[in-house]
Amino acid sequence: MKKISKDLMLGCSISANQAEGAFNVNGKGLSIAELRRYNPNLDRKDINTERKMTKEKLQEALNDDGKYVYPKKIGVNFYERYKEDVKLIADMKNDCFRTSIAWTRIFPNGDEKEPNLKGLEFYDNLIDELVKNKIEPIITISHYEMPYNLVAKYGGWKNPILIEFYTNFAKTVMERYKNKVKYWIPFNEINAANYSVWAGAGLLDDEHPNILGLSMYALHNIFLANAQTVKIGKEINKNFLFGSMVATLLNYAESCDPQLVLKTEKDQQLKIYSFFDVMHRGEYSKFSLNLLKKFSIDLKISNEDKKLLKENTCDFLGFSYYMSGVVNQIEGDVTEGNLSKTGKNKFLKANEWGWQIDPIGLRILMNRLYDRYQKPLFILENGIGFDEKLENGKINDDYRIEYMKNHLEQIQNAIEDGVECIGYTAWSLMDIISHGTSEMTKRYGLIYVDQDSFGKGSQNRTPKKSYDWYKNVCISREI
Ligand code: BG6
């Protein structure tokens, strides 16, 4: 038995676009997430291709002629069932709960001046319900969704005008919940702007031959919006705490060949540090600037932008951690990953989707991040997806318990190493629509939701064995 530090908030996480549904009620506009199809014929080895949004797929989604289903339109009806779900969180004795605000409920087209009050009402009620139940809300302002109109009319985040639209949205919600919400995360997995350009930046994968290059401009605008949000937020309430949020693609070198170790160092600078650097050191690292130069990308960073980034860094390092990968010297075996494919690690097991399970990797990562930035950490997402079916009305998900237990143990070890860590929100509270594939068979929840990938089912909630286990952890503060 291991005691969990008293300073570590324990909770669960979801996102608006994967859970709420109710995509066209009370004035809500269409979001880019709702245009992600479910493809029942998908071969799992093609997930990374499926994740891409092309002109053709977009057109198909806009026509929505019945060829595919678009499950994020219905989510798991958190919109109507939130009270029941909050009660389940309260009964689980969680300290906190992370969710996001659908931009399209508040500004349906994104470029309006005034918010949609009917949309705000939903979050008024949800946040009140959390506060009433003594659950700390951790709010992601934008989690992989933006008004589709901002893509159609302005071209997504490559257009700097989005900074203005986004900050208007962020200001609206921060002002409205200034006495109820303390923890804010402006953007989910900010590095998705490079690795999953539709979700992260509202760019089409085939809109430009050099999409990665283009996404750097979009990412820069997102960084500026992030800093601007911190600035505005601290003026609204100086006690607000802002988190960065990066999908941490931890990779090891496959061997101790110094060439490969060096390659892995560079890989980690590129995939992890280059994002945290801007949001915590307030500037692009020399490594990033060299790389931009090498690819002739001129972000035209003005002195004003430099000042904005420098003076408005985040307070804590938020990140998701699901798995680790391997950098191969030569082309080797690859496996699926969170945002991109990675090398196989013979020491680790993987889930059905190829995600390699590595609790010790989390401790390694936490030590590295804390050493480098010396700011508190918050593990905003961690969990495992399984295809599950109720058996005699139950899900005995011992594998999830093992996964969470092993990760929490390593978090506690990292805390004992000297790392400051303020929170852990497991992904996910209940089964929700998969981000990458919009399927319902990849279940991460501690609560089972009776719904299939086509949106059929009662949507009833049934706590899994892991729910009872986590409840016990939250009460006993022991693993
Ligand atoms: C993270 C996202 O990358 O991974 C979540 O922030 C997502 O939104 C989670 O659901 C798991 O990914 P997927 O594709 O298996 O749902």
Side-chain angles (χ1 to χ4, degrees):
M1 281 288 168
K2 210 171 174 59
K3 269 269 166 223
I4 295 180
S5 153
K6 63 176 182 5
D7 301 323
L8 186 77
M9 281 191 282
L10 295 174
C12 292
S13 189
I14 59 166
S15 77
N17 85 78
Q18 293 166 270
E20 286 177 7
F23 82 107
N24 58 359
V25 307
N26 290 325
K28 184 183 173 304
L30 185 67
S31 106
I32 58 166
E34 288 141 12
L35 296 166
R36 293 289 299 273
R37 70 185 188 193
Y38 165 59
N39 177 0
N41 302 318
L42 178 70
D43 188 325
R44 283 190 186 154
K45 70 175 178 13
D46 299 327
I47 288 178
N48 275 295
T49 317
E50 180 65 16
R51 219 194 315 259
K52 294 190 193 319
M53 179 59 99
T54 58
K55 290 176 196 151
E56 194 187 328
K57 276 194 213 162
L58 173 62
Q59 202 44 57
E60 243 170 26
L62 291 169
N63 296 345
D64 194 1
D65 58 8
K67 189 167 165 206
Y68 291 101
V69 288
Y70 295 88
K72 286 175 186 136
K73 290 187 176 173
I74 54 164
V76 292
N77 205 7
F78 181 63
Y79 189 78
E80 283 178 346
R81 302 182 83 129
Y82 74 92
K83 275 199 182 171
E84 183 190 338
D85 291 332
V86 172
K87 178 158 186 331
L88 283 164
I89 305 171
D91 288 348
M92 212 191 333
K93 308 292 176 207
N94 283 191
D95 305 311
C96 58
F97 174 59
R98 170 178 176 251
T99 189
S100 62
I101 297 184
W103 188 344
T104 45
R105 285 198 200 287
I106 318 301
F107 291 93
N109 290 313
D111 55 359
E112 300 91 339
K113 289 262 174 300
E114 297 304 322
N116 168 30
L117 295 179
K118 278 273 167 215
L120 283 165
E121 253 172 44
F122 170 68
Y123 297 101
D124 295 349
N125 296 336
L126 170 63
I127 291 171
D128 281 350
E129 197 66 19
L130 290 169
V131 173
K132 195 172 88 192
N133 281 284
K134 301 198 173 37
I135 302 162
E136 182 82 53
I138 316 283
I139 299 296
T140 311
I141 300 177
S142 178
H143 187 124
Y144 284 165
E145 48 80 49
M146 59 193 273
Y148 170 64
N149 178 57
L150 295 183
V151 174
K153 199 161 157 192
Y154 303 95
W157 274 102
K158 64 177 181 283
N159 188 337
I161 197 168
L162 262 77
I163 301 172
E164 188 187 315
F165 299 143
Y166 172 86
T167 47
N168 189 31
F169 162 49
K171 186 172 177 211
T172 304
V173 294
M174 289 191 297
E175 252 166 6
R176 193 151 179 117
Y177 306 120
K178 66 179 174 211
N179 298 320
K180 296 173 182 167
V181 176
K182 179 174 173 189
Y183 297 89
W184 297 95
I185 294 121
F187 293 95
N188 183 58
E189 298 189 334
I190 210 160
N191 43 343
N194 287 154
Y195 301 114
S196 192
V197 297
W198 177 253
L203 302 180
L204 286 159
D205 285 87
D206 60 351
E207 77 174 65
H208 194 278
N210 179 9
I211 191 65
L212 186 60
L214 187 69
S215 75
M216 291 308 304
Y217 294 95
L219 177 67
H220 182 61
N221 291 330
I222 297 176
F223 278 144
L224 293 176
N226 190 80
Q228 191 71 44
T229 301
V230 174
K231 184 169 190 253
I232 296 169
K234 296 275 179 179
E235 283 160 14
I236 294 174
N237 183 341
K238 62 177 176 15
N239 295 321
F240 277 176
L241 290 175
F242 285 91
S244 51
M245 169 46 160
V246 174
T248 49
L249 309 171
L250 176 72
N251 274 330
Y252 304 116
E254 195 184 31
S255 80
C256 51
D257 174 352
Q259 292 285 4
L260 193 58
V261 174
L262 180 65
K263 187 175 166 193
T264 310
E265 284 291 313
K266 300 280 172 209
D267 171 271
Q268 296 296 272
Q269 278 176 305
L270 179 72
K271 293 195 177 135
I272 303 181
Y273 303 136
S274 61
F275 303 92
F276 282 126
D277 284 348
V278 180
M279 292 184 286
H280 289 282
R281 292 176 163 176
E283 60 189 15
Y284 286 82
S285 63
K286 292 278 182 302
F287 167 84
S288 298
L289 292 172
N290 283 343
L291 209 65
L292 290 167
K293 205 164 157 198
K294 186 169 157 203
F295 290 102
S296 309
I297 296 171
D298 182 5
L299 296 177
K300 301 200 172 49
I301 312 177
S302 66
N303 286 339
E304 207 184 319
D305 289 352
K306 280 188 188 155
K307 190 167 178 291
L308 179 74
L309 293 175
K310 195 74 195 170
E311 290 177 355
N312 301 285
T313 54
C314 290
D315 301 294
F316 61 91
L317 280 96
F319 61 94
S320 57
Y321 177 85
Y322 290 90
M323 53 167 289
S324 68
V326 163
V327 172
N328 298 312
Q329 190 157 26
I330 35 162
E331 286 294 290
D333 266 2
V334 290
T335 183
E336 290 300 332
N338 195 1
L339 292 179
S340 57
K341 281 186 190 286
T342 182
K344 276 194 183 164
N345 185 333
K346 64 177 180 204
F347 299 101
L348 301 177
K349 287 195 188 124
N351 74 354
E352 288 171 65
W353 284 264
W355 296 28
Q356 300 178 134
I357 305 166
D358 182 15
I360 295 178
L362 179 54
R363 179 178 179 183
I364 296 170
L365 177 74
M366 290 173 73
N367 272 278
R368 284 188 189 162
L369 293 178
Y370 193 67
D371 277 353
R372 189 171 167 114
Y373 301 101
Q374 301 279 309
K375 283 188 188 171
L377 311 185
F378 197 135
I379 296 128
L380 293 167
E381 286 181 29
N382 172 249
I384 184 147
F386 273 94
D387 189 354
E388 297 167 314
K389 289 186 187 54
L390 279 181
E391 276 168 32
N392 301 324
K394 287 192 87 85
I395 302 273
N396 290 316
D397 52 345
D398 292 307
Y399 39 84
R400 182 166 292 107
I401 296 174
E402 190 190 334
Y403 180 97
M404 287 178 71
K405 182 178 186 297
N406 292 344
H407 282 80
L408 278 166
E409 229 160 51
Q410 294 305 328
I411 292 170
Q412 185 56 35
N413 285 341
I415 292 172
E416 286 162 22
D417 291 337
V419 172
E420 201 183 335
C421 183
I422 55 173
Y424 172 86
T425 43
W427 189 266
S428 51
L429 173 67
M430 68 281 209
D431 298 335
I432 51 180
I433 314 293
S434 156
H435 159 63
T437 50
S438 293
E439 66 191 297
M440 209 37 211
T441 31
K442 196 178 190 185
R443 296 172 178 273
Y444 286 83
L446 275 65
I447 299 166
Y448 179 83
V449 176
D450 175 31
Q451 180 172 315
D452 69 15
S453 296
F454 297 91
K456 303 243 161 47
S458 65
Q459 295 182 325
N460 286 343
R461 277 61 167 152
T462 308
K464 302 179 190 175
K465 190 173 174 185
S466 55
Y467 173 96
D468 295 327
W469 172 82
Y470 198 39
K471 175 177 178 169
N472 196 31
V473 170
C474 292
I475 295 171
S476 67
R477 309 281 310 174
E478 269 179 6
I479 26 162

